[in-house]
Amino acid sequence: HQTTMVFYFKSRCGEYTLYMGKDKYENEDLIKYGWPEDVWFHVDDLSSAHVYLRMKPNMTLNDIPDDLLLDCASLVKANSIQGCKKSSVYVIYTRWKNLKKTNDMVEGQVSYHRPDNVKRISV
């Protein structure tokens, strides 16, 4: 496996950077090297890209503007082999620091320290 740079985007909703892993290896790098202010997005119950939103300092999940949430959710939906074919999917998101990775998990797989802190939206 060779090291590659993950995709990143500037949001149209202001000065926010979004990062996206295009495969399980890049997703794994994002899991490993996330920042405390990062928010992880993924299509619920389907394979998809991992998208990370780098929030501004002192922001909370509730501070994320609706347009920015839609940008992030649309990006994971568009980069899900099954999700992109559906009229709507649920997208889950949580703070990076809530992601839990154990040695028995496959690359790109995560669970959560606090499942109650995972939010869900439809897109």
Side-chain angles (χ1 to χ4, degrees):
H1 159 63
Q2 70 183 43
T3 304
T4 57
M5 179 66 179
V6 298
F7 290 107
Y8 71 97
F9 309 88
K10 288 291 184 190
S11 172
R12 60 192 169 90
C13 305
E15 289 301 311
Y16 294 96
T17 302
L18 311 177
Y19 297 89
M20 183 179 78
K22 74 175 190 317
D23 60 28
K24 64 184 178 181
Y25 304 108
E26 289 186 3
N27 289 344
E28 194 66 26
D29 285 343
L30 286 168
I31 294 165
K32 194 181 301 179
Y33 299 113
W35 289 15
E37 53 270 13
D38 288 348
V39 178
W40 170 85
F41 290 79
H42 195 275
V43 174
D44 198 12
D45 293 328
L46 294 175
S47 175
S48 80
H50 291 206
V51 169
Y52 288 72
L53 161 65
R54 178 119 333 133
M55 292 196 301
K56 296 182 187 317
N58 302 316
M59 276 183 74
T60 69
L61 290 180
N62 293 330
D63 295 331
I64 302 171
D66 289 344
D67 284 351
L68 186 55
L69 275 178
L70 184 59
D71 272 0
C72 296
S74 297
L75 201 50
V76 292
K77 180 181 187 258
N79 288 279
S80 169
I81 292 168
Q82 297 155 301
C84 70
K85 298 173 185 153
K86 297 180 178 284
S87 59
S88 70
V89 295
Y90 283 103
V91 171
I92 52 177
Y93 62 103
T94 192
R95 299 292 292 259
W96 168 81
K97 62 187 177 184
N98 191 34
L99 297 180
K100 180 179 179 181
K101 183 76 182 177
T102 59
N103 290 333
D104 60 336
M105 293 178 171
V106 298
E107 287 178 314
Q109 182 182 8
V110 296
S111 68
Y112 317 104
H113 294 289
R114 299 182 65 184
D116 291 349
N117 289 354
V118 178
K119 294 183 175 270
R120 194 169 180 245
I121 57 171
S122 178
V123 64

